[in-house]
Amino acid sequence: MNRSEQICAALRTAILERALLPGMKLPEDALGERFGASRTIVRQALERLAAEGLVELRRNRGAVVATPSLEEARDLFDLRCQIEDLVVSRLIANFGPKHLEALESHLAKEIQAESGPEPVSIRLATEFHILMAQLTESPVLIRYVEDVGYRCGLTLALYSRPHSTDCGIHEHREIIEALKKGDQIRARDLMRHHLGAVADRALLKEETAGQGTIYLDALEPYAKAVRESG
């Protein structure tokens, strides 16, 4: 990845892991200092995140972490169910050892993070679904699952009640087993049930968005990794 892509990935992770809260300001100059990059490069990263729905670009007011509404969240989860139903159908048609290895490797990361901070588990769960799309090798499915998945991940971080990480891991494991066996009907049913359960968790409560702060110290671990990468 080039520097703009690295910054984009770091900010995305920080948002999904709630190091950066909804409503928090993202000033280009301060971010540039954090990441050791020019404002132009930071702006490119913010524009990509805005296209993903994780950041809002406000005319003459700069960028802030997005704060999706509950109504938008419901539409996103409905759309996500439709798209990922297609992902399962496409993936299972050519499912092989390399696909199984990739999914099981990611599941191991979810299990390892199970006892850690909940936002990290939410991010990894989101990335499981994005990985499935990537394994289809369909640019269209990858693009839309990434966009919808990241925005749903932000919704989960903002609105969801505490949930059982073990339940999500168990559901992911069942989906992998159905794909492995080539059972398309069961895999699609499991995916719909899983996403329905995720949506139920996401739409229960509303949380006050982060204040319009420029306090970015929580971003430092993410920025340091980018600076040290070169």
Side-chain angles (χ1 to χ4, degrees):
M1 292 188 292
N2 60 36
R3 183 49 61 94
S4 177
E5 291 169 336
Q6 290 177 324
I7 294 172
C8 178
L11 289 173
R12 182 191 298 120
T13 299
I15 290 170
L16 294 178
E17 292 185 356
R18 302 210 68 202
L20 297 176
L21 299 175
M24 183 176 286
K25 291 182 179 179
L26 300 170
E28 293 174 3
D29 53 351
L31 291 176
E33 291 178 7
R34 290 276 176 181
F35 286 102
S38 69
R39 292 185 62 174
T40 299
I41 291 176
V42 170
R43 188 178 304 117
Q44 292 172 352
L46 292 174
E47 288 172 350
R48 172 61 189 272
L49 292 171
E52 295 176 0
L54 296 181
V55 165
E56 296 175 7
L57 300 178
R58 299 177 176 177
R59 186 175 180 85
N60 300 322
R61 295 170 59 192
V64 298
V65 180
T67 307
S69 67
L70 282 172
E71 182 178 356
E72 178 186 8
R74 293 187 181 96
D75 289 342
L76 284 171
F77 277 101
D78 286 344
L79 179 60
R80 184 178 182 182
C81 285
Q82 299 297 319
I83 296 173
E84 296 206 33
D85 192 64
L86 180 57
V87 168
V88 170
S89 297
R90 184 69 61 85
L91 180 57
I92 204 168
N94 298 295
F95 197 76
K98 68 175 184 179
H99 304 105
L100 179 62
E101 181 181 0
L103 291 174
E104 288 186 335
S105 176
H106 188 87
L107 187 66
K109 295 179 184 178
E110 293 187 62
I111 294 170
Q112 186 176 12
E114 188 174 4
S115 59
E118 183 178 9
V120 175
S121 293
I122 290 175
R123 174 180 61 80
L124 287 170
T126 298
E127 291 174 353
F128 175 85
H129 294 265
I130 291 170
L131 174 60
M132 286 187 60
Q134 292 171 340
L135 293 175
T136 69
E137 300 183 5
S138 165
V140 173
L141 288 178
I142 293 170
R143 174 188 172 188
Y144 282 100
V145 171
E146 283 182 344
D147 287 354
V148 175
Y150 287 138
R151 293 170 77 181
C152 286
L154 176 59
T155 300
L156 283 168
L158 178 60
Y159 294 120
S160 67
R161 64 178 176 177
H163 72 285
S164 170
T165 304
D166 183 61
C167 287
I169 291 172
H170 176 70
E171 290 162 2
H172 285 176
R173 184 182 288 113
E174 285 190 320
I175 291 169
I176 293 173
E177 285 300 312
L179 291 170
K180 180 181 177 180
K181 294 176 181 177
D183 190 340
Q184 181 173 161
I185 294 176
R186 176 162 174 75
R188 291 171 67 182
D189 286 345
L190 286 168
M191 181 61 79
R192 283 192 289 265
H193 174 78
H194 170 58
L195 291 177
V198 173
D200 287 343
R201 289 195 294 267
L203 306 178
L204 282 179
K205 70 180 183 66
E206 186 165 357
E207 182 173 302
T208 302
Q211 299 301 311
T213 177
I214 58 172
Y215 184 74
L216 298 176
D217 285 353
L219 182 61
E220 179 55 24
Y222 306 88
K224 182 180 179 181
V226 173
R227 291 197 306 269
E228 292 179 348
S229 69

